[in-house]
């Protein structure tokens, strides 16, 4: 293990994130506070894996306007102030959702600040509500404000930060992040997701537009996809493009809903798969000598979510990922898919 004892990872969270409860207006909603309760208990049992804990500050609501329209911010605040209700068929709030969302976005901003100040080389924000579906002018898919977009936008305000890589490994496409940065080359989004799932965006040929053409890598995979395909797309497409892009900061939208036990999707990653993907990110960041900031997105089997985060954090902090003893070679259909993704990315990048 190559643990950097002087600079352990930074683990940001806030108790306010437990108070956002969509079940009040949408009984049976999968985004439960228990997701974070279970994660906190699992981390506490492991003495927080040696990570340094910090309370996420609230973001000044005006800073949300780095990535959101003022009218959207106002609409969410006013609905929360009235006691809550539905923002869209999947997304509802209670009064406590407003402070929860400000702490979630505040975790993103603080994570970026601490990483770019050199205080930590890895950080993880254990927050909810998640962010990657939130677009500039509305809430979507359990997400109120786009936390990872806030993190990226804050980074780009810092001296010397010109390019940010966002890797979105949540099983759902990060449509919000994609839309917010669609026409910008200063954020490169690499988005793996299960084809056919909510929100239905992110086909392979959508690579961004205008000045951002080529700076979105959409990597849809079929339902049932397993670790070998996910790793091949990362190894053969994401990593070579990321090296060529040479970002100053790596951010991750980390959902754990591509796990085979997750109730909302049909991919078949194992817990160790998440750790191996994290190992790729850690190695990339080490090679580029840049920090890594990870925002929690989805993951709706609470026990699995806790297990995955506990497997990922040590790897982000320098531990070796689990060996790939049982790795199989790609099937022909998987090889075809990876080759198509390489060909698409090769139109914009030297692969
Ligand atoms: Zn998801």
């Amino acid at each position: 293990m190559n643990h950097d004892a002087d600079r352990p990872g930074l683990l940001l969270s806030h108790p306010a994130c437990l108070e956002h409860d969509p079940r009040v207006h949408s009984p049976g909603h999968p985004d439960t506070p228990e997701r974070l309760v279970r994660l906190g208990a699992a981390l506490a049992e492991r003495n927080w894996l040696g990570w340094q804990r910090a309370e996420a500050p609230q973001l000044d609501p005006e800073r949300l306007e780095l990535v959101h329209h003022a009218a959207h911010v106002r609409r969410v605040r006013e609905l929360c102030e009235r006691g809550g209700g539905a923002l869209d068929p999947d997304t509802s709030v209670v009064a406590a959702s407003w402070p929860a969302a400000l702490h979630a976005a505040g975790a993103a901003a603080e994570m970026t600040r601490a990483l770019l100040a050199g205080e930590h080389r890895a950080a993880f924000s254990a927050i909810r509500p998640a962010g990657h579906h939130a677009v500039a002018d509305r809430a979507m898919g359990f997400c109120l404000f786009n936390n990872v977009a806030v993190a990226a936008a804050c980074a780009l305000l810092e001296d010397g930060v010109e390019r940010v890589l966002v890797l979105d490994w949540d099983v759902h496409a990060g449509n919000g992040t994609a839309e917010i940065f669609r026409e910008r080359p200063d954020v490169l989004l690499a988005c793996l997701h299960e084809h056919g799932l909510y929100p239905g965006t992110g086909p392979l040929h959508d690579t961004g537009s205008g000045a951002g053409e080529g700076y979105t890598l959409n990597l849809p995979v079929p339902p049932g996809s397993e670790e070998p395909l996910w790793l091949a797309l990362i190894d053969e497409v994401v990593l070579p493009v990321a090296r060529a892009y040479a970002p100053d900061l790596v951010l991750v939208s980390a959902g754990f809903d591509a796990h085979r036990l997750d109730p909302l999707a049909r991919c078949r990653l194992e817990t160790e798969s998440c750790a191996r993907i994290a190992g790729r990110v850690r190695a990339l960041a080490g090679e580029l000598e840049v920090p890594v900031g990870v925002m929690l997105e989805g993951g709706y089997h609470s026990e699995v979510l806790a297990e995955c985060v506990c497997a990922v954090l040590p790897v982000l902090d320098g531990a070796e990922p689990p060996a790939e003893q049982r790795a199989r070679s790609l099937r022909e259909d998987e090889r075809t898919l990876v080759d198509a993704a390489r060909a698409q990315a090769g139109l914009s990048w030297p692969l």
Side-chain angles (χ1 to χ4, degrees):
M1 191 194 283
N2 179 26
H3 191 92
D4 187 341
D6 295 336
R7 288 188 303 159
L10 174 66
L11 185 61
L12 285 154
S13 192
H14 196 280
C17 294
L18 302 175
E19 304 301 319
H20 165 64
D21 195 346
R23 293 173 303 182
V24 172
H25 298 286
S26 311
H29 198 285
D31 180 18
T32 65
E34 283 72 24
R35 297 172 59 232
L36 284 190
V37 171
R38 184 65 74 97
L39 172 56
L43 288 168
E45 266 172 34
R46 294 162 177 80
N47 201 21
W48 308 96
L49 296 162
W51 284 49
Q52 181 181 322
R53 296 165 65 204
E55 285 210 336
Q58 282 202 5
L59 190 73
D60 176 347
E62 281 186 14
R63 296 202 88 196
L64 289 169
E65 293 173 31
L66 285 169
V67 299
H68 289 291
H69 298 175
H72 168 55
V73 177
R74 195 166 55 241
R75 195 179 310 125
V76 174
R77 191 188 68 227
E78 288 175 357
L79 185 57
C80 292
E81 284 171 357
R82 290 199 302 272
L87 283 157
D88 91 344
D90 298 311
T91 317
S92 62
V93 293
V94 292
S97 301
W98 174 248
L102 293 184
H103 282 289
E110 171 60 12
M111 184 173 84
T112 289
R113 187 209 61 75
L115 291 172
L116 294 176
E119 295 170 15
H120 303 270
R121 60 177 187 156
F124 188 95
S125 292
I127 49 79
R128 49 187 292 284
H132 73 152
H133 295 307
V135 293
D137 65 351
R138 66 191 188 285
M140 275 182 73
F142 316 171
C143 301
L144 305 183
F145 302 122
N146 196 312
N147 305 315
V148 81
V150 167
C154 286
L156 291 165
L157 294 177
E158 300 286 330
D159 284 345
V161 176
E162 293 175 357
R163 290 174 303 281
V164 176
L165 170 69
V166 178
L167 170 60
D168 186 325
W169 78 48
D170 188 282
V171 79
H172 304 94
N175 63 296
T177 316
E179 281 312 305
I180 287 167
F181 299 116
R182 159 171 289 281
E183 298 186 3
R184 290 172 55 167
D186 50 1
V187 175
L188 190 152
L189 172 66
C191 184
L192 288 103
H193 53 272
E194 181 181 316
H195 173 73
L197 279 188
Y198 182 92
T201 59
L204 179 63
H205 60 78
D206 179 4
T207 59
S209 50
E213 172 85 52
Y215 294 88
T216 302
L217 296 179
N218 273 306
L219 301 167
V221 300
S225 294
E226 298 174 334
E227 175 181 320
L229 177 59
W230 282 67
L231 288 182
L233 287 169
I234 289 172
D235 289 343
E236 298 189 35
V237 184
V238 176
L239 296 182
V241 170
R243 289 187 190 102
Y245 184 61
D248 302 299
L249 173 68
V250 175
L251 296 174
V252 179
S253 268
F256 296 93
D257 39 12
H259 193 282
R260 64 185 174 83
L261 295 177
D262 193 274
L264 295 198
R266 294 171 63 194
C267 279
R268 299 192 52 81
L269 296 188
E270 304 285 346
T271 300
E272 295 75 21
S273 315
C274 300
R276 291 187 190 108
I277 294 171
R280 264 62 174 188
V281 173
R282 175 72 264 152
L284 172 73
E287 193 182 314
L288 298 170
E289 297 182 332
V290 300
V292 181
V294 180
M295 296 302 304
L296 180 61
E297 302 284 359
Y300 301 97
H301 186 303
S302 297
E303 204 171 318
V304 162
L305 170 64
E307 188 181 284
C308 288
V309 174
C310 288
V312 157
L313 290 189
V315 175
L316 289 174
D317 214 14
E320 285 296 322
E324 286 164 53
Q325 294 146 339
R326 291 171 296 150
R328 59 169 173 80
S329 51
L330 292 183
R331 293 190 312 258
E332 203 176 312
D333 58 315
E334 294 169 327
R335 184 72 255 163
T336 302
L337 196 149
V338 174
D339 287 346
R342 279 181 60 82
Q344 179 66 60
L347 298 175
S348 305
W349 298 95
L351 293 186

